[in-house]
Amino acid sequence: MEPGMIGLGRMGTNMVRRLRQAGHQCVVHDLDPKAVDVLTKEEAIGSQSIEELALKLQKPRVIWMMVPAATVDLALASLVPFLEADDVVIDGSNSHYRDDLRRAAELKPKGIHHVDVGTSGGIWGSERGSCLMIGGEEAAVRRLDPAFAALAPGIEAAPRTRGLESVADSAEHAYLHCGPSGAGHFVKMVHNDLEYGIMASHAEGLNILRHANLAKKLRAVDAETAPLRDPENYPYDLSLENSSSRVSESGEDRWTIAAAIDESVPAPVLSAALDQRFSFGDEYNLANKVLSALRYQFCGHEENSGAKNGSTA
């Protein structure tokens, strides 16, 4: 295959390298000419514009977009005038699956195939491969199988599942055609929200461990602060890593919760994980200030900024 790659950030660049290692030539483009130069030095074919990229690709074309989700429509608007019927456009961003449905419908009258690929590989994707969750028409997805196989880890990346050694399924290679347009990003959306829940549970558990040394800390003794009944039960200084207290929220988790509401499916753990992400944002600071002000207004309690000297309970 000879796919084109638009967007040469960390993931796009590593995907081109992995495709090249598997014997696929790639035509590449990025708004930053330096990113193109890096890969042309590694024998990829560079292009200075989207039009040039389309002209250099063999027909029917396969073009993979690894651009931010917010710029996918802009990239498509620049690309589509240079495409023809039976070309395939792959969106590898974290797009909302509803946008996939819209884009696929807009491209269908032109005979252009739209394939959405949720890509999960993180910083190790180049060496280990990426898990691919794919949505689109069966025939178009089947045509792309060599590229998916090159980007995914493959069976040899982990011990085979006992009892399934004879099953011929791409899922064991870590890529899967999940269904029609939008299915790939829908599965990736839920996949990311599951990670939110898992990470939140780790964070909460580690936070409990971090504060297990209350016996050694000074605590305020006043009407506003709940007393610690048995401080001697918390004498532990546990060595934990330090990290930034800021955690961003990508949007996919809120899409998952919206889908759960539409489907009337309870998702209390995932909803709580989303609420926790919101609590890190600047938007939550006012709520904390209002809560403190209301506590003073209703109860006359003034918040203390820290423990009072000499107080240990």
Side-chain angles (χ1 to χ4, degrees):
M1 292 186 64
E2 186 189 62
M5 182 68 72
I6 298 176
L8 303 177
R10 182 178 60 187
M11 289 190 69
T13 295
N14 286 338
M15 290 168 70
V16 169
R17 286 171 174 156
R18 195 166 175 92
L19 286 165
R20 294 279 299 124
Q21 290 169 4
H24 303 291
Q25 182 54 279
C26 296
V27 182
V28 300
H29 174 70
D30 192 272
L31 294 176
D32 182 2
K34 294 180 181 178
V36 177
D37 291 341
V38 168
L39 289 175
T40 55
K41 292 177 181 177
E42 299 177 22
E43 300 185 356
I45 299 173
S47 58
Q48 299 305 310
S49 67
I50 287 180
E51 179 180 9
E52 183 182 351
L53 176 138
L55 291 173
K56 286 184 175 181
L57 287 170
Q58 298 177 2
K59 300 179 182 180
R61 305 173 184 90
V62 173
I63 300 177
W64 200 309
M65 299 186 300
M66 288 301 294
V67 299
T71 65
V72 170
D73 282 325
L74 182 62
L76 273 175
S78 301
L79 175 63
V80 168
F82 308 112
L83 300 184
E84 301 173 0
D86 212 28
D87 289 344
V88 178
V89 176
I90 305 169
D91 178 6
S93 74
N94 284 334
S95 289
H96 195 309
Y97 76 95
R98 295 184 182 184
D99 289 329
D100 295 318
L101 293 170
R102 170 180 57 82
R103 291 164 184 155
E106 292 171 351
L107 293 175
K108 189 172 183 178
K110 306 177 187 295
I112 300 170
H113 306 285
H114 181 279
V115 174
D116 52 284
V117 180
T119 307
S120 180
I123 59 177
W124 304 281
S126 178
E127 294 79 16
R128 301 182 185 177
S130 298
C131 175
L132 307 175
M133 294 146 272
I134 306 159
E137 300 168 349
E138 179 73 32
V141 172
R142 192 182 311 116
R143 188 201 307 177
L144 302 172
D145 192 81
F148 297 145
L151 292 170
I155 289 179
E156 63 279 0
R160 299 200 67 181
T161 303
R162 185 176 300 175
L164 296 179
E165 293 86 354
S166 61
V167 176
D169 191 335
S170 68
E172 196 174 9
H173 295 256
Y175 68 98
L176 179 67
H177 183 201
C178 302
S181 293
H185 279 146
F186 190 93
V187 173
K188 177 63 174 4
M189 173 185 78
V190 177
H191 162 279
N192 278 18
D193 208 26
L194 291 175
E195 289 184 340
Y196 271 51
I198 293 169
M199 288 188 285
S201 66
H202 282 288
E204 291 174 8
L206 289 171
N207 205 22
I208 294 170
L209 294 175
R210 184 185 185 93
H211 292 86
N213 61 350
L214 292 182
K216 302 179 181 181
K217 288 187 174 181
L218 296 177
R219 286 177 61 85
V221 178
D222 53 44
E224 290 80 34
T225 306
L228 180 62
R229 184 170 184 176
D230 300 303
E232 66 275 7
N233 291 337
Y234 300 95
Y236 310 113
D237 282 311
L238 302 171
S239 178
L240 300 172
E241 293 182 7
N242 291 320
S243 185
S244 169
S245 60
R246 174 85 181 177
V247 182
S248 299
E249 183 269 318
S250 65
E252 290 167 298
D253 44 347
R254 67 177 73 190
W255 302 339
T256 302
I257 301 306
I261 293 171
D262 288 343
E263 298 169 1
S264 299
V265 173
V269 174
L270 300 183
S271 297
L274 175 58
D275 285 342
Q276 185 183 50
R277 289 291 179 103
F278 286 156
S279 71
F280 286 103
D282 294 335
E283 297 82 356
Y284 201 72
N285 290 339
L286 177 61
N288 286 331
K289 292 178 180 178
V290 170
L291 182 60
S292 178
L294 289 174
R295 189 167 185 252
Y296 174 76
Q297 185 69 30
F298 292 145
C299 308
H301 296 311
E302 293 188 5
E303 301 296 341
N304 295 313
S305 60
K308 296 179 180 178
N309 291 334
S311 301
T312 58

